[in-house]
Amino acid sequence: ANEKSFDEGLAFQAPLLGPERSGKSSLVDSIQFFEEAPCDKFQKSDLPPPKPTDPHWSLEVTNFCIRTPTPWLVGNHLWTFLTYKLASPSIKVSRSPKFALKADAFVGNAQCTLKIRVYFIEGETYCVEFQKRSGDGIAFNRAFR
C-alpha cells in the first residue's frame, strides 16, 4: 500500500489505518502530526500495552490503527485534541501500563465522557480505541470522527 510511517522531527500527513479487525487494516484518512506535541503528558518510556489476546475480548468499533515509532507522541496529540478541540475541562492520563486518557468532551452543547486507549498491535502499528463511558451518543460519534 501507499503507507508512510510517522518519523519524529517531520511534519506530514501520517496515515491512519482503518479499524483493526482480525489483524487486517486498510488505509483511510490521515491526521496532521508535528515534530513535537504541545504537552508532555506521555514520555518516551511510556509504551502502550499489547492488545489483549483473550478470545472473548474485542476492540470497540470506534478505533483506528496508526503506524509510528513514537507512540508517546500520539498520546500527547490525543491529549491536545481533547483539550483544544473538545474543550475537555479535565483529562485523566493513565501512563504505563494502561496508556489511556479519560475526559468529559463537549461537542457543541452536548457532552459525553469518553476513554481513549492505545494498544500495541505489532512492529510499529498501534490501535487507538475510543470508548463512550456516558453522556450523549451523537457527541461521542462526532468526537470520534
Side-chain angles (χ1 to χ4, degrees), residues 56-85:
H56 299 291
W57 184 91
S58 65
L59 286 162
E60 297 287 332
V61 176
T62 47
N63 77 77
F64 61 88
C65 294
I66 187 165
R67 189 177 322 268
T68 178
T70 55
W72 62 93
L73 288 180
V74 173
N76 289 332
H77 282 284
L78 289 168
W79 183 89
T80 301
F81 168 74
L82 290 169
T83 302
Y84 297 106
K85 296 291 186 182

Side-chain angles (χ1 to χ4, degrees), residues 5 29 32 34 47 52 55 60 70 88-89 92 94 109 115 123 134:
S5 64
D29 296 329
Q32 184 75 38
F34 295 94
L47 298 174
E60 297 287 332
T70 55
S88 298
K92 179 183 177 191
S94 299
N109 292 330
K115 186 170 190 174
S134 66

Side-chain angles (χ1 to χ4, degrees), residues 20-118:
E20 206 282 328
R21 293 187 183 92
S22 305
K24 295 183 179 181
S25 297
S26 60
L27 190 63
V28 293
D29 296 329
S30 60
I31 188 170
Q32 184 75 38
F33 281 106
F34 295 94
E35 62 184 68
E36 292 184 25
C39 76
D40 59 356
K41 301 296 180 187
F42 290 93
Q43 304 296 316
K44 199 171 194 174
S45 59
D46 297 326
L47 298 174
K51 180 179 81 167
T53 57
D54 183 322
H56 299 291
W57 184 91
S58 65
L59 286 162
E60 297 287 332
V61 176
T62 47
N63 77 77
F64 61 88
C65 294
I66 187 165
R67 189 177 322 268
T68 178
T70 55
W72 62 93
L73 288 180
V74 173
N76 289 332
H77 282 284
L78 289 168
W79 183 89
T80 301
F81 168 74
L82 290 169
T83 302
Y84 297 106
K85 296 291 186 182
L86 299 182
S88 298
S90 65
I91 302 169
K92 179 183 177 191
V93 174
S94 299
R95 295 169 58 194
S96 293
K98 289 187 176 184
F99 208 95
L101 301 109
K102 186 175 182 180
D104 292 326
F106 292 88
V107 180
N109 292 330
Q111 182 267 332
C112 70
T113 299
L114 58 85
K115 186 170 190 174
I116 303 173
R117 293 211 52 185
V118 180

Side-chain angles (χ1 to χ4, degrees), residues 17 58 76 121 141:
L17 304 173
S58 65
N76 289 332
I121 303 298
N141 284 324

